[in-house]
Amino acid sequence: MKKIFASFLLAFFVLGCAQQQGNSKPVLTVYTYDSMVSEYGLGPKIVPQFEQKCGCTVNMVSKGDAGQLLFALVLEKDRPKADLVIGLDNTLYAKAVNSGVLEKFAPKNISLVPQNLRLDSEGYLTSFDYGYIAFVYDREKISQKIDGFGSLLSPELSKKIVIENPNTSSPGMALLLWSVKLFGDPGYKDFWKKLKPNILTVTTGWDQAAGLFSAGEAPIYLSYATSPAYYAGEENKQNFVGAKFREGHYIQIEGMGIVSGTKNRALAGQFIEFSLEPQFQQEIPLTQYMFPVNANVKLPESFGFAVKPDKSLELDRKIVEEKQEEWLLEWEKIMSNGP
C-alpha cells in the first residue's frame, strides 16, 4: 500500500462524519488502510469531491495495512459494517474472493482500465492504481550496490533490512511471492534462510517500516519503486533511492470492491466508477505515490526519481490461490526458528 510518510504514526482515523441525527444524507462507509485517510493522503482529496457529486456523507475508516483490512472484513462477514473496501490488491485477491466478503460489480467505465491492469474479469475488485515493490535505501549509509536478490544477502547488510509481515501487509506478501516467482518452490525457502540474518525486524505494515527508515533506525526497507519520488519531491532527499533489480520487480495492483451484504450497493458502485475518472486519478501520484490506472493522467516531474523496472513480475493467481497458505506457513517456520 502506498503511501504518504506522515501517516506512519496513524493507528486509527475516521475521515468524514457519521450520519447524525437530523441528517438525511445517505452514508457510505469505506474501509481502507491508514495512509489513505492521513492528512496528506488520497482520502481528504477525493472524499469532498464525491460527497458533492453524490449528495452523501462518506465515512472512511482506517484498518491498518491491507492484510489487517481483509481480516476486519472477515470478522464482520455476517454483520458487515462497511459498504466499500479500498486497498485490497493482487497479492490478497484470492484470499478476499474465497472469504466471500466481496460482491461482483461491473463499472460502466471499466474501459478506462487497461486489460493488463485489471484484477479480474468477474468484478470482485476494480483496479484504481498500481506500482512495483522495491527496496529503498539510504546511499549515504549503504555503499554497496543493491541490484538484485543476491546483493541483499551481503554480510554488510547484517541486521540492517526492515521488511513487512506477509500475513498482515501487502508489500510483505508481494516480497514472499516475488521470491517464489524467482527461486521456485522449494527454492524460495533457501533464499529466506540466507536473508534472515540480515533482517533487523519484521513490521506489521508498511507504515511502521517507513517510519523506522525515516527515523534513521534502518538504512534499507521494503517499499515501492515510486517511494524515491516522494523523498525527492516532498523531503528533498535524493540520497533515499530505490534499488533496481536485474531480475525484475513484482507488480502490485490495488483495487476497491463492494462489501458483500451492504445496503448501499448503488452508492458504493457510484464511488468505484468515480475512482476511474480523471478528477480522482489525477490525485493518485502525489498522494498515493503510485501510478494511476487511467493512462491519460500526466505524471509529475518527481516521478523521474522512481525506479523503472525492466521486467514486471507476477505469479499466476490460480497458483497463488492454491499455495499461498502453504507458503505463509513455511515462511513463519523459517522466521521463527533460531539463527
Side-chain angles (χ1 to χ4, degrees), residues 10-16 30 32-39 43-44 59-64:
L10 183 65
F12 181 84
F13 184 78
V14 177
L15 180 66
V30 181
T32 187
Y33 44 70
D34 288 345
S35 56
M36 176 69 70
V37 299
S38 70
E39 181 182 359
N59 275 351
M60 196 169 270
V61 184
S62 65
K63 288 291 182 179

Side-chain angles (χ1 to χ4, degrees), residues 53-78:
K53 182 182 180 71
C54 70
C56 65
T57 297
V58 177
N59 275 351
M60 196 169 270
V61 184
S62 65
K63 288 291 182 179
D65 212 325
Q68 296 163 299
L69 183 59
L70 178 56
F71 183 67
L73 293 176
V74 172
L75 281 180
E76 298 174 4
K77 180 178 178 181
D78 295 332

Side-chain angles (χ1 to χ4, degrees), residues 128-142:
F128 70 95
D129 72 12
Y130 73 100
Y132 299 92
I133 305 303
F135 282 89
V136 173
Y137 66 100
D138 184 345
R139 61 183 173 190
E140 292 180 354
K141 295 181 178 179
I142 294 179

Side-chain angles (χ1 to χ4, degrees), residues 165 192-193 196 199 202 328-339:
N165 191 321
W192 279 99
K193 290 174 183 176
K196 185 178 176 182
I199 295 176
V202 179
L328 280 169
L329 288 173
E330 291 299 324
W331 180 87
E332 289 172 352
K333 288 179 184 177
I334 292 170
M335 299 305 292
S336 61
N337 289 338

Side-chain angles (χ1 to χ4, degrees), residues 112-153:
L112 293 172
V113 182
Q115 286 285 347
N116 66 311
L117 294 178
R118 297 184 189 182
L119 282 163
D120 64 25
S121 59
E122 299 178 271
Y124 285 109
L125 286 173
T126 300
S127 310
F128 70 95
D129 72 12
Y130 73 100
Y132 299 92
I133 305 303
F135 282 89
V136 173
Y137 66 100
D138 184 345
R139 61 183 173 190
E140 292 180 354
K141 295 181 178 179
I142 294 179
S143 58
Q144 74 170 83
K145 188 175 183 179
I146 310 295
D147 61 356
F149 276 83
S151 59
L152 294 177
L153 307 181

Side-chain angles (χ1 to χ4, degrees), residues 182-204:
L182 293 178
F183 300 107
D185 186 357
Y188 77 98
K189 300 178 189 179
D190 186 51
F191 165 76
W192 279 99
K193 290 174 183 176
K194 293 177 180 178
L195 179 65
K196 185 178 176 182
N198 287 357
I199 295 176
L200 173 66
T201 189
V202 179
T203 64
T204 302

